Amino acid sequence: MAEKFKFQKIKKIHCNEVAKIHYKELSDGILSLFGQSYLNHFYEQMTNERGWGYVVLKDKKVAGFIFSENKDINKLGLIRPSDMGMIIINLLLKPKFIINILFSAFISRFYDSADSGKNVSIISQFAVSKCYQSKGYGKRLLKLFENESRKRSFKTILTSTHNMNLRNFYISEKRIKKEIVIPNIGFKNFIISWEL
């Protein structure tokens, strides 16, 4: 039987599966530090008019997603007491997160300098489950994101990643307008933008 894939706007019912993919595929990111339960709560809150995006579904199960959030959202304000145990465990097991947290505060200055104003649509999270990568689903999610950004009158896409494969994907797929490379301990962070 052929695999059936469907693309649609992200909804609250997708949040748990999106959180699982985020936690697994974006495990080196700051948000993953807070655990899968936090991520589920985060996406539920973000889909309540604070963010938008798309999912790719395989037989009604999320296989990947792309998401834009309101950049002035207080992510720390979404931490619940039940999330604190996971944070402590991750900080003990992965001390590089402490450096990354401090670095993310520093990098936000560069991120804001790359943002040229209100005409910028920001990709905040983007991931496809490993077993579905390199099949064109990421390209389709990105195209849907760009089309929605145009409908919302955005002129530029902006994103940040330390994933070299994702950075290379953007470089190969888009006419990059600007790229800022910021070194960090163990990796580089790429802030990338292109015009729609």
Side-chain angles (χ1 to χ4, degrees):
M1 185 152 99
E3 294 181 320
K4 301 204 181 222
F5 287 89
K6 182 179 179 183
F7 294 82
Q8 68 181 53
K9 287 189 176 182
I10 194 167
K11 298 177 185 171
K12 203 166 191 172
I13 60 169
H14 303 128
C15 291
N16 188 43
E17 292 179 60
V18 166
K20 286 179 186 176
I21 293 170
H22 183 135
Y23 191 68
K24 185 174 182 183
E25 301 300 335
L26 305 175
S27 62
D28 287 338
I30 298 296
L31 289 181
S32 293
L33 166 70
F34 303 120
Q36 191 172 314
S37 175
Y38 168 85
L39 289 168
N40 186 42
H41 179 63
F42 168 79
Y43 283 110
E44 284 178 355
Q45 295 302 308
M46 292 302 104
T47 55
N48 290 335
E49 300 178 22
R50 294 181 178 175
W52 57 274
Y54 289 87
V55 291
V56 54
L57 304 172
K58 183 219 175 271
D59 298 325
K60 300 183 181 179
K61 185 174 178 180
V62 176
F65 68 96
I66 191 166
F67 196 76
S68 179
E69 69 191 57
N70 185 340
K71 73 175 186 171
D72 59 354
I73 231 43
N74 178 4
K75 294 179 182 94
L76 294 178
L78 295 175
I79 297 173
R80 300 162 299 175
S82 59
D83 300 322
M84 294 307 293
M86 182 58 76
I87 294 168
I88 292 167
I89 289 168
N90 277 330
L91 286 175
L92 291 173
L93 294 176
K94 301 175 182 177
K96 74 175 184 174
F97 273 122
I98 296 170
I99 296 165
N100 289 346
I101 289 170
L102 295 172
F103 185 73
S104 69
F106 172 74
I107 197 172
S108 66
R109 293 185 342 201
F110 291 97
Y111 198 72
D112 291 340
S113 72
D115 181 347
S116 62
K118 294 181 180 179
N119 287 329
V120 177
S121 181
I122 298 173
I123 299 173
S124 52
Q125 285 84 29
F126 182 18
V128 174
S129 290
K130 191 167 282 299
C131 60
Y132 299 116
Q133 291 175 6
S134 300
K135 296 181 186 255
Y137 306 122
K139 288 180 187 178
R140 179 80 184 274
L141 285 168
L142 187 56
K143 187 70 171 168
L144 290 167
F145 186 91
E146 288 178 321
N147 290 341
E148 182 68 23
S149 295
R150 283 185 191 94
K151 288 179 191 173
R152 293 172 182 247
S153 300
F154 292 116
K155 305 292 183 203
T156 302
I157 301 286
L158 177 69
T159 191
S160 172
T161 186
H162 60 269
N163 180 312
M164 186 60 86
N165 290 334
L166 186 54
R167 180 257 181 201
N168 292 341
F169 170 76
Y170 290 132
I171 297 295
S172 69
E173 293 297 314
K174 301 295 156 198
R175 294 182 62 137
I176 301 304
K177 175 178 142 184
K178 187 174 188 180
E179 179 181 29
I180 301 171
V181 181
I182 303 170
N184 196 351
I185 295 175
F187 63 88
K188 293 178 181 175
N189 198 47
F190 303 95
I191 299 173
I192 299 169
S193 64
W194 63 90
E195 292 180 5
L196 290 172

